[in-house]
Amino acid sequence: DHLYDVSGAFGGPIMKDKLWFWTAYRYWGYSIFRTDSYYELNPLDYSYVPDLNNPPADSQPNTSNDLRLTWQISPRNKISAYYDFAPRQTNLWKLSRTTQADASQLQRIKLNHFETITFRSTLNSKMLFEAGFGNMTEDWTREPSPDSSTSMMYPVTEQTTGVNFRAYNATFSHNKTEVRSYRSSISYVPGSHAFKFGFADMTG
């Protein structure tokens, strides 16, 4: 049906030779028709009769709000922090040939953010130390389609075609994912070669 993508970014110094910022905003998404998927002529009956003149469009609006700050503590030591807030939702989620529009779902990702903090230190002319922490949190729900008049009714599955209609055959759910990462390393550059030692750990 259509695609869209709008973005902009801006950055620069806050304090000369000490503190810099970078910020960016993006809004993008799609509205797409799924093969062999149609609204029903009569969504209240118990047989699926597609309205071939009325195809539904799955859509997903996304936003991303980024901010990065870099602080030069001294000429040899820097800290940078990054944050991204990126909520999104998918309308008519799971829409397909066998999942009719009223039986599709709304996926609402209300809380979706990423953050990192990185410290870099030039120990001497041959050694660089780095340490970092990162986090990803995603909090989302699966809900009945709010635009459907039958999504709160009993779901129906046609045994001969496998088509699900009237309402989605699952339950409301609230889901949360959290992943944290830790890393540290020392790089040694004696000349034309480089060696790097470190560790990385991820949990969630």
Side-chain angles (χ1 to χ4, degrees), residues 11-204:
I14 299 175
M15 295 174 60
K16 186 178 179 181
D17 298 329
K18 281 291 182 183
L19 186 63
W20 296 263
F21 81 97
W22 178 263
T23 183
Y25 173 78
R26 185 182 177 199
Y27 179 64
W28 77 102
Y30 63 79
S31 177
I32 188 169
F33 297 112
R34 302 295 181 186
T35 303
D36 258 355
S37 181
Y38 302 95
Y39 283 104
E40 287 187 83
L41 282 173
N42 182 7
L44 297 175
D45 64 11
Y46 287 90
S47 63
Y48 176 64
V49 180
D51 183 353
L52 300 181
N53 295 315
N54 194 10
D58 175 16
S59 63
Q60 185 188 83
N62 299 263
T63 58
S64 178
N65 305 272
D66 293 355
L67 176 64
R68 185 173 69 237
L69 296 173
T70 303
W71 176 32
Q72 181 172 263
I73 305 168
S74 69
R76 290 190 172 199
N77 299 284
K78 285 184 181 179
I79 292 179
S80 62
Y82 169 77
Y83 179 76
D84 175 41
F85 179 62
R88 76 171 187 267
Q89 71 179 44
T90 305
N91 303 301
L92 303 187
W93 188 38
K94 305 291 188 180
L95 179 69
S96 68
R97 184 187 66 80
T98 56
T99 302
Q100 182 266 344
D102 288 324
S104 64
Q105 308 160 29
L106 168 66
Q107 184 194 45
R108 195 194 309 270
I109 303 179
K110 299 175 286 186
L111 192 64
N112 190 32
H113 58 88
F114 312 85
E115 46 271 337
T116 61
I117 297 176
T118 304
F119 172 71
R120 290 184 176 91
S121 178
T122 305
L123 302 178
N124 54 49
S125 61
K126 295 183 178 182
M127 296 184 71
L128 173 68
F129 172 75
E130 292 183 285
F133 166 77
N135 177 73
M136 181 203 76
T137 299
E138 189 175 73
D139 191 319
W140 61 279
T141 57
R142 179 179 64 185
E143 307 173 31
S145 176
D147 299 325
S148 168
S149 60
T150 62
S151 64
M152 298 298 290
M153 297 181 179
Y154 287 107
V156 177
T157 300
E158 265 188 0
Q159 296 302 308
T160 54
T161 61
V163 173
N164 297 292
F165 60 99
R166 280 171 61 96
Y168 73 108
N169 53 2
T171 58
F172 170 89
S173 64
H174 185 185
N175 310 272
K176 189 172 185 180
T177 302
E178 288 185 305
V179 178
R180 293 166 298 282
S181 62
Y182 309 85
R183 63 182 178 85
S184 181
S185 66
I186 290 181
S187 299
Y188 176 58
V189 188
S192 59
H193 297 79
F195 302 89
K196 189 172 186 178
F197 309 90
F199 79 91
D201 179 63
M202 184 176 289
T203 181

